[in-house]
Amino acid sequence: MICIFRRSNATGCTTKLATGELDLAIAPILAGASDLQAEPLWRDRLVTLIGVNNPLPLPMTLDSFAGADHAVDAGHVQVDANGKGASLVDAILAARGLTRRIAVVLPSSAGLPFVVAKTDLIATLPSRILKDLAAITGLKVVPAPLPPVEVSPHMLWHPRTQSVALLAWIRAMIMETAAEL
């Protein structure tokens, strides 16, 4: 069985791979998954979307970034009732004693560019998501004022399946397809 996990539900992935419940998973790279084989499907980095009329001074500092109101994708960020997020971005900010205020949560990243273009909100997401959205007017894509961090989905499998011919072929087909995206 192959499963695709978002960060919010990927924690059981390692156990399912270890027990043989799953043969292959596609998920963010997981802490504590050192006993698994992992291959990035592609390399990506975070960028920040900002509306052309947003008064935030550029380039953004980490403090101005944290102080801005954010729009996020519910699939990648867990948001509590106080508007605080739990994601890679939030972990980076927390390590520096900062938090961000999440003003709008959308069900997916597809609407983020449209919301950001018409508001003073900003959004930080992997650059590949924006590849096909470059034609949206009213947006600037700027470097996220965060330390460089890889935000690439990974294909994960247990070492006992490394030499299983069918699974090796499936992994090769997934890598070939990912290279074309």
Side-chain angles (χ1 to χ4, degrees), residues 73-90:
D73 160 4
H76 292 98
V77 179
Q78 300 300 310
V79 181
D80 69 20
N82 296 321
K84 303 296 181 202
S87 72
L88 176 64
V89 170
D90 298 295

Side-chain angles (χ1 to χ4, degrees), residues 50-58 116-122 137-140:
I50 184 169
V52 293
N53 296 320
N54 190 315
L56 211 62
L58 295 177
V116 169
K118 299 293 183 184
T119 67
D120 285 345
L121 300 174
I122 66 171
T137 58
L139 283 177
K140 289 187 269 190

Side-chain angles (χ1 to χ4, degrees), residues 48-67:
T48 299
L49 284 179
I50 184 169
V52 293
N53 296 320
N54 190 315
L56 211 62
L58 295 177
M60 279 186 282
T61 65
L62 200 55
D63 287 331
S64 65
F65 174 84

Side-chain angles (χ1 to χ4, degrees), residues 83 110 114 175:
F114 302 100
M175 291 304 294

Side-chain angles (χ1 to χ4, degrees), residues 13-134:
C13 175
T14 55
T15 303
K16 290 178 181 179
L17 287 165
T19 63
E21 187 178 342
L22 285 178
D23 296 312
L24 183 67
I26 297 174
I29 193 68
L30 303 170
S34 60
D35 58 332
L36 298 177
Q37 301 291 323
E39 182 80 28
L41 295 178
W42 54 74
R43 304 279 182 196
D44 206 352
R45 61 186 169 74
L46 293 173
V47 294
T48 299
L49 284 179
I50 184 169
V52 293
N53 296 320
N54 190 315
L56 211 62
L58 295 177
M60 279 186 282
T61 65
L62 200 55
D63 287 331
S64 65
F65 174 84
D69 286 335
H70 295 255
V72 296
D73 160 4
H76 292 98
V77 179
Q78 300 300 310
V79 181
D80 69 20
N82 296 321
K84 303 296 181 202
S87 72
L88 176 64
V89 170
D90 298 295
I92 292 169
L93 292 174
R96 288 153 179 80
L98 299 169
T99 60
R100 64 177 173 166
R101 189 175 93 71
I102 296 170
V104 173
V105 180
L106 299 175
S108 77
S109 58
L112 285 173
F114 302 100
V115 170
V116 169
K118 299 293 183 184
T119 67
D120 285 345
L121 300 174
I122 66 171
T124 300
L125 58 164
S127 65
R128 289 180 68 95
I129 291 174
L130 302 174
K131 188 172 93 171
D132 296 326
L133 301 174

Side-chain angles (χ1 to χ4, degrees), residues 1-5 10 12-30 32-42 153-176 178:
M1 176 187 276
I2 299 172
C3 196
I4 299 174
F5 291 92
C13 175
T14 55
T15 303
K16 290 178 181 179
L17 287 165
T19 63
E21 187 178 342
L22 285 178
D23 296 312
L24 183 67
I26 297 174
I29 193 68
L30 303 170
S34 60
D35 58 332
L36 298 177
Q37 301 291 323
E39 182 80 28
L41 295 178
W42 54 74
H154 282 66
M155 183 168 41
L156 306 157
W157 65 95
H158 195 274
R160 78 171 169 285
T161 65
Q162 180 70 28
S163 59
V164 175
L166 176 60
L167 294 176
W169 178 81
I170 289 170
R171 290 192 301 268
M173 292 298 100
I174 290 171
M175 291 304 294
E176 184 178 315

